[in-house]
Amino acid sequence: MKQLKIIILNGQEITVNQGTTFHDILMQNKLEGSIPAVLAKFNNEIYELFDVVKNDGVFETVDISCEIGIKTYVRTLQFVLIKATLDLFKDAKITIEHTLGKGLFGEIHKEKPLSKDDVLKIKDRMLELISRDLQIKKISVSRDKAMKIFEDYGMEDKVKLLKTVGYEKLKLYELDGRYDYFYGDMAFSTGVVKNFDIFPYESGFLLNYPSSEEPFKLTEFKEQKSLYNIFHETEVWGNILGVGDVGSLNEEVISGDIIDTIRVSEALHEKKIVYISDMINDRKGVKVVLISGPSSSGKTTFSKRLGVQLRVNGLIPVPISLDDYFLNRDETPRDEKGNYDFESINALDLKLFNENLRDLMEGKEVLLPKFDFKNGAREWSSSKIKLPNKGIIIIEGIHGLNELLTQSIPKNKKFKIYISALTQLNLDKHNRISTTDVRMIRRLVRDYLSRGYGGEQTLRMWDSVRRGEEKNIFVFQEEADVMFNSTLVYELCILKKYAILELNKIEHDSDVYSESIRLKSFLNFFKEVDGKFVPENSILREFIGGSCFYKY
């Protein structure tokens, strides 16, 4: 049998037989630390621990202190939850829906509505499966065999998905006799997911687990009622469209009905924008509209479309850019690493900003600043502006929901809007589509088409972007008067070709190579749709170009 040379911790070299699993290497050399290891990294590629070693290389463990590790932990926990639930309620339908308050929200539909006692029984069964440290097995089957398995389970969503993708072979996971398909990697056994909680919430349950930042501690659940409601609204929209999963969406593309789906999706957006405009108009005395949301939410296009609807109501929108209120570079605060912290609210001249707002609201003429990003210094516009009689100030930026930004403006004069791409579309009932992934793909396409950034550069920046969002945006989202979900159910069918073109440029030795492979695998579930069908005022045009509001 062929011998392979493997380099492990601190450059130590070991010899193993070809066909040895990564789990064998982990256990035989006692490489697992205090934080649960869930995957292997070998020659810069990610492998599951039950995969076998085929050549010489460098071996590292991947634990739950990193993003890919914690995602694997949660995915494994989901499989344990599904297995436990179906052990107790064999005809139940389980749907994993979306993150909420640092946990995962889902629903269990069965003959009798889910009760608190039911959830406690599910938790006890999960603990039993975890205590037995059952191995999770990966098997390769034909697409027809996989479809037969899921037909027998009554899982039509998975059957529909498999019918519309081109894979002839599929990887299924098996846990104690239960088969399932998951998009993404799985841990070696159930014993790794000891730290969790599950409790009833609204119409379903909330599954709680650690974070990569604190791998030994369950994240504290914080009520996010507005966010829950906007997800529920999106679920209703999905029912209107008849598209709740990717299999259904692909069927629309194949049949040609996707054109109507695009029209109705855009109409639902416009209807909500009209509703928000009417809310603002009905609140007499509102003079400042603040629009905030994370990266790639479509804030700019939303602001333009809202402005159109405000004009319909007789109001005159006056946009002011927060970017023009940056402090001069030498006055900009620095982060813990000594770099300029441009995402800090203290990077803005809050005093000048509030003075300008007050003066405008009092009917005074104001000379606005203009920031020169090339030189990192403030300049001044050549003319003054004055708020018209029916004028309303529109401010778009990441700090819009933070009261510190507009602390001198009375609350009854302000209207706050939170916008994000909060997807409700799932691959199937057990595989949700991450909101973060949708925004990442939006940004990757926009950066490539309009800003000259390659996909590799965008993926490398994403962790930093996410940290800034956690600190400056998400903590304030429940402060909004209204939320707007900018996701379009069909958008990944449009974005796919642009994103894959750029992801294909990322080479094997890149530190984001594994992430590029994951995203390509995800996008390949979607049938492509030509961008020509996207209306010129669509939020999606902010990312693919061709918007009627501005040019790249």
Side-chain angles (χ1 to χ4, degrees), residues 8 27 29 34 75 97 99 127 134-135 172 180 205 214 229 256 363 372 382 389 423 442 491 515 536 551:
I8 56 174
M27 302 307 292
N29 294 277
S34 58
R75 194 177 298 112
E97 298 192 11
T99 55
L127 289 168
L134 297 166
Q135 184 179 342
L172 299 187
D180 212 332
F205 63 85
E214 296 184 283
N229 289 337
D372 183 339
S382 58
N389 183 40
T423 181
R442 280 182 172 189
E491 67 179 86
E515 181 69 349
E536 64 177 5
K551 293 182 180 180

Side-chain angles (χ1 to χ4, degrees), residues 250-261 533:
N250 285 341
E251 286 184 341
E252 297 274 295
V253 178
I254 293 167
S255 69
D257 291 338
I258 191 65
I259 308 302
D260 285 339
T261 301
F533 297 113

Side-chain angles (χ1 to χ4, degrees), residues 317-354:
V318 176
I320 291 183
S321 174
L322 277 180
D323 286 352
D324 287 327
Y325 287 87
F326 274 116
L327 294 167
N328 291 335
R329 193 64 39 85
D330 59 354
E331 301 174 274
T332 302
R334 295 179 182 266
D335 61 20
E336 62 277 5
K337 295 181 179 179
N339 300 318
Y340 288 120
D341 190 358
F342 296 113
E343 294 190 341
S344 168
I345 193 169
N346 294 314
L348 300 172
D349 190 336
L350 298 177
K351 182 174 180 291
L352 176 63
F353 180 70
N354 278 267

Side-chain angles (χ1 to χ4, degrees), residues 375-391:
N375 296 318
R378 176 181 299 157
E379 297 176 347
W380 294 94
S381 57
S382 58
S383 58
K384 294 183 177 181
I385 70 162
K386 185 176 181 180
L387 196 64
N389 183 40
K390 286 278 192 174

Side-chain angles (χ1 to χ4, degrees), residues 87 125 127-135 176 190-191:
D87 282 351
R125 178 60 178 157
L127 289 168
E128 181 185 342
L129 293 171
I130 291 166
S131 68
R132 290 165 61 190
D133 194 22
L134 297 166
Q135 184 179 342
D176 197 28
T190 61

Side-chain angles (χ1 to χ4, degrees), residues 144-160:
D144 288 344
K145 184 173 181 179
M147 287 170 60
K148 180 65 169 61
I149 290 171
F150 295 131
E151 281 173 356
D152 291 344
Y153 285 166
M155 295 180 174
E156 289 303 314
D157 54 314
K158 290 184 184 288
V159 174
K160 196 183 296 183

